[in-house]
């Protein structure tokens, strides 16, 4: 006679692409802190300023003329969803920062609409971040940060600022919008750094 315990269940395999506390979604949820800005490409600009105040600026046409990459990356939102294999097109921050003289260790990212977020400068370099303007073969829609957003896939998605407008390089770290509201200052999904103290 075979005896099977009702409490026995086969353990589900762990998805090695899923950070702790996350679940996979096939959707692309839209989460924003405020209204969606509508940005005219004729007036759009992206600026990088260093700690001395020296500034480099790119118009939309100038940004489109730069060499681009097509990263395929997994996204991890602090609200616990993850989306695998997202396809983007954009300019690497390595290209934009190549001729910027700086001794800064930190970056404060600014968006149209006033949103800010902070990162160590190292997290924008060495192929880890892009200014993305196309998603899944189409122009990036406004609800997902179009016309252009920062893309830093190794950190929680709030660090990938939508409607990006510029980056201010800083000698000292300066927390941004969500970081001053209690979110973790760094936001590593693999260490589950969601809030201050995590």
């Amino acid at each position: 006679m075979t005896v099977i315990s009702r409490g026995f269940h086969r353990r589900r395999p762990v998805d090695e692409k899923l950070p702790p506390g996350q679940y996979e979604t096939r959707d692309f949820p839209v989460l924003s802190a405020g209204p969606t800005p509508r940005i005219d490409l004729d007036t759009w600009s992206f600026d990088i300023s260093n700690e001395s105040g020296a500034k480099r600026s790119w118009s939309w046409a100038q940004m489109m003329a730069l060499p681009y990459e097509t990263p395929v990356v997994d996204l991890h939102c602090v609200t616990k969803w993850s989306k695998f294999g997202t396809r983007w097109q954009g300019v690497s921050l390595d290209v934009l920062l190549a001729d910027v003289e700086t001794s800064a260790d930190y970056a404060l990212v600014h968006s149209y609409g006033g949103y800010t977020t902070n990162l160590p400068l190292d997290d924008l370099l060495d192929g880890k971040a892009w200014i993305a303007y196309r998603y899944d073969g189409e122009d990036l829609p406004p609800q997902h940060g179009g016309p252009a957003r920062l893309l830093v896939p190794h950190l929680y998605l709030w660090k990938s600022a939508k409607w990006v407008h510029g980056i201010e390089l800083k000698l000292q770290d300066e927390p941004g919008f969500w970081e001053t509201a209690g979110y973790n200052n760094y936001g590593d999904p693999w260490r589950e750094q969601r809030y201050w103290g995590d």
Side-chain angles (χ1 to χ4, degrees), residues 37-133:
R38 303 291 172 173
I39 302 151
D40 187 343
L41 295 182
D42 290 334
T43 59
W44 183 93
S45 69
F46 181 76
D47 309 324
I48 295 179
S49 60
N50 70 9
E51 64 275 21
S52 301
K55 186 167 73 172
R56 294 284 311 272
S57 296
W58 293 265
S59 67
W60 185 257
Q62 290 169 329
M63 183 67 73
M64 294 302 101
L66 294 173
Y68 63 83
E69 297 180 359
T70 54
V72 178
V73 299
D74 301 336
L75 303 179
H76 308 293
C77 181
V78 71
T79 59
K80 299 194 174 183
W81 60 262
S82 291
K83 184 174 178 62
F84 298 148
T86 62
R87 298 175 180 276
W88 301 83
Q89 180 175 315
V91 178
S92 170
L93 264 296
D94 291 322
V95 172
L96 298 169
L97 288 162
D99 297 325
V100 175
E101 293 186 16
T102 184
S103 298
D105 290 324
Y106 301 97
L108 185 65
V109 181
H110 294 265
S111 296
Y112 287 96
Y115 178 84
T116 58
T117 191
N118 62 319
L119 309 93
L121 183 56
D122 284 347
D123 288 84
L124 297 178
L125 298 170
D126 298 328
K128 291 183 282 193
W130 298 266
I131 301 300
Y133 49 81

